[in-house]
Amino acid sequence: MQKTPIILAKPPTDRPPKPAAAPPTPGAPLPEKPIVLMKSREETRPSATGDSVAATPSLPPPSLKVEREGARPTQPVYQIQNRSMAPTTPSTGLDPVIGQTKLHPPERMKHSIKLVDDQMNWCDSAMEYLLDQTDVLVVGIIGLQGTGKSTIMSLLSVNTPEEDARSYVFRTQSQEIKERSGSQTSGIDLFVTQERIIFLDTQPILSPALLDHLINNDRKLPPEYNLPHTYIEMQSLQLAAFLFTVCHAVIIVQDWFTDLNLYRFLQTAEMLKPSTPSPSHELSAGGSGSDEGAEYYPNIVFLQNKARREDFCPRNVKKMHTVINRLMNHSHLKYKGSISMLDCNIFPGLSSDFLETEVNLFLLPVIENEVEENLSRAGAGGISLFPLLPGYRGHPSFQALIGKLRCHILSLARPQLSHTILTERNWLHYAARIWDSVKKSSVLSEYSRLLS
């Protein structure tokens, strides 16, 4: 005979209240949390769609086994997210698909920076503006004092003739500097455009202003130089030899035609240029033993700035080409075949065979402002029969010509400067090595000793 079980328990109304949970003591170990083990369902019920389902923790059912486990080490938590799903967190430059920080473009330059300072020391501040890509064009410029080098480089890069000269990326001569016959640029200035064109503006070669500053301020000469004018000439040759080695194109600026000493200077710089075998040296030389054409030489563009109306006469243009061709006849510099004024429709009606030997020569007139343009419209006597028509110039406007020159410069070939293909940052390291070799060149030291 079974006995009825008796449950000895007090009614709920007679039970004493449970004591409130005491706050955790600082430093005391936290209670272990139970680990819930859930078995996968075996039913043929269709599973939920989607790449990932977020499960919300809930109370375990009574049929589940509960067991305790000791403390586990902390492990990283990974979140798997479908590519089609939008990120749950605001974007902070992190790609949700790749999981890496996106590479932002380099900071846009607002003005030029120093590549070589006034003491002829190398500067590495340009590294942050350069990229690891190989499609780059390097353009340098040299010329005598006051020929307009900084203005031309600013207009070829990002500025326009309508802008104020004080906003140019390369600083131009102020009125005060012009009055005391000084020079604005010292060393080498660098500017990189968004089209990945590197422009190098240099101090004037054979500058009398730098020589006067050196003498009147009692600046100490380096021990290897005895005379101030020798030091200035060697500085100019170092700059020219450096540009002939690291540039794809070098612009030679003149403001009158022509100075024979400038061509002697170019030939001397070519002679003292560091030896840099071209990538095709092994193929071209082979077993012939000929060194001709083995070294790298840049494109040379002769720019006649501040040209007069008579200079644009076809007969005078032909004479300029003939003179330059005869003076540079024995040079290895690429002074032909890169730029043609006949292809720009500057001289309509002239055939392509008008110039027997066409060199890389381009003419730019004086920049005209609105006041001068209005005066040219009014004529010399102040009365014009056609006041709305522009005055006769004899050549296209400066804006049109500088635009054509820019198109020619940007479309120049970009051959390899060394045995390997250089990125922008590799070019900066390569240029630093070339500058160091130029300053320590034994050939330049021997030439300086002969000058003194």
Side-chain angles (χ1 to χ4, degrees):
M1 182 177 178
Q2 294 182 354
K3 294 182 180 181
T4 305
I6 300 174
I7 301 174
L8 300 178
K10 293 183 180 182
T13 57
D14 297 339
R15 294 177 184 176
K18 295 182 179 180
T25 306
L30 297 176
E32 299 177 353
K33 296 182 180 180
I35 298 178
V36 181
L37 301 179
M38 302 181 64
K39 293 183 179 181
S40 60
R41 295 187 177 180
E42 302 294 339
E43 295 83 7
T44 57
R45 192 173 178 181
S47 61
T49 59
D51 296 323
S52 63
V53 179
T56 306
S58 59
L59 296 177
S63 61
L64 299 178
K65 296 181 180 180
V66 179
E67 66 182 47
R68 297 178 179 274
E69 184 176 306
R72 284 185 171 182
T74 305
Q75 296 181 356
V77 179
Y78 300 93
Q79 181 182 5
I80 301 177
Q81 186 176 8
N82 187 15
R83 293 191 177 186
S84 60
M85 298 174 60
T88 56
T89 57
S91 175
T92 58
L94 187 69
D95 194 327
V97 177
I98 306 177
Q100 297 179 355
T101 305
K102 295 180 179 180
L103 296 178
H104 297 283
E107 184 181 356
R108 185 171 184 176
M109 297 185 67
K110 299 180 180 179
H111 54 80
S112 60
I113 58 176
K114 284 293 180 185
L115 187 67
V116 176
D117 60 13
D118 55 349
Q119 300 297 326
M120 296 295 122
N121 297 321
W122 185 262
C123 304
D124 287 327
S125 57
M127 182 61 71
E128 59 181 308
Y129 299 100
L130 302 180
L131 297 177
D132 286 325
Q133 63 93 26
T134 58
D135 189 16
V136 60
L137 176 66
V138 185
V139 181
I141 191 170
I142 57 176
L144 300 176
Q145 180 176 322
T147 54
K149 299 180 297 299
S150 300
T151 302
I152 292 172
M153 294 299 273
S154 299
L155 297 177
L156 290 178
S157 55
V158 294
N159 296 114
T160 59
E162 293 79 11
E163 298 180 19
D164 188 2
R166 292 174 293 183
S167 64
Y168 285 179
V169 293
F170 293 101
R171 294 184 59 186
T172 59
Q173 286 181 322
S174 61
Q175 186 63 31
E176 178 184 357
I177 294 179
K178 291 180 180 179
E179 291 175 354
R180 56 184 177 88
S181 301
S183 62
Q184 179 65 52
T185 307
S186 60
I188 301 178
D189 294 341
L190 176 142
F191 185 83
V192 185
T193 65
Q194 293 298 301
E195 296 86 1
R196 314 317 302 166
I197 312 296
I198 300 178
F199 289 94
L200 302 180
D201 184 23
T202 61
Q203 69 182 28
I205 59 174
L206 309 175
S207 171
L210 296 177
L211 180 61
D212 179 75
H213 178 75
L214 185 65
I215 296 175
N216 293 333
N217 291 280
D218 295 331
R219 290 183 55 185
K220 294 183 179 180
L221 296 176
E224 60 268 22
Y225 301 106
N226 298 325
L227 301 175
H229 67 272
T230 304
Y231 176 61
I232 295 298
E233 183 175 355
M234 293 308 301
Q235 270 191 354
S236 303
L237 289 173
Q238 288 176 356
L239 293 175
F242 172 75
L243 293 185
F244 287 168
T245 311
V246 301
C247 293
H248 296 103
V250 179
I251 303 175
I252 312 298
V253 186
Q254 307 177 80
D255 56 356
W256 62 283
F257 192 84
T258 184
D259 189 358
L260 296 180
N261 293 324
L262 177 62
Y263 296 92
R264 296 192 184 98
F265 174 84
L266 295 178
Q267 294 173 0
T268 304
E270 179 187 355
M271 177 184 63
L272 302 177
K273 170 183 171 295
S275 177
T276 53
S278 64
S280 59
H281 170 58
E282 299 178 358
L283 299 177
S284 61
S288 61
S290 176
D291 293 333
E292 184 176 359
E295 293 191 7
Y296 169 80
Y297 293 98
N299 292 297
I300 300 297
V301 179
F302 292 95
L303 181 59
Q304 188 69 25
N305 193 26
K306 305 175 184 178
R308 303 168 299 175
R309 181 188 301 178
E310 313 75 70
D311 296 333
F312 285 88
C313 175
R315 183 172 57 254
N316 293 335
V317 171
K318 189 174 183 178
K319 292 180 180 178
M320 292 181 186
H321 282 265
T322 303
V323 171
I324 295 177
N325 180 64
R326 290 182 179 179
L327 292 175
M328 301 293 295
N329 190 26
H330 300 287
S331 174
H332 293 289
L333 299 173
K334 301 176 182 177
Y335 65 96
K336 292 182 181 180
S338 301
I339 288 182
S340 174
M341 294 187 68
L342 298 180
D343 296 340
C344 301
N345 200 23
I346 299 177
F347 305 102
L350 293 182
S351 59
S352 58
D353 57 349
F354 173 75
L355 299 174
E356 298 177 359
T357 54
E358 186 177 11
V359 300
N360 300 332
L361 174 64
F362 204 92
L363 277 66
L364 283 179
V366 180
I367 301 179
E368 293 184 357
N369 53 30
E370 295 181 358
V371 177
E372 294 176 349
E373 186 175 358
N374 293 333
L375 289 176
S376 62
R377 288 182 180 181
I383 300 175
S384 175
L385 297 178
F386 306 99
L388 299 179
L389 296 178
Y392 175 73
R393 297 191 186 97
H395 53 78
S397 64
F398 180 86
Q399 290 81 355
L401 289 176
I402 194 66
K404 294 179 183 296
L405 176 61
R406 187 174 189 272
C407 292
H408 272 290
I409 294 296
L410 299 187
S411 62
L412 288 175
R414 307 179 184 188
Q416 296 184 24
L417 301 175
S418 64
H419 288 289
T420 59
I421 300 177
L422 300 178
T423 63
E424 295 179 13
R425 295 187 175 183
N426 291 340
W427 172 86
L428 185 63
H429 295 302
Y430 173 75
R433 294 196 303 268
I434 294 298
W435 179 251
D436 185 66
S437 65
V438 165
K439 293 186 65 176
K440 298 179 181 178
S441 174
S442 58
V443 179
L444 284 167
S445 300
E446 182 65 18
Y447 183 80
S448 172
R449 188 186 65 83
L450 295 176
L451 289 178
S452 58

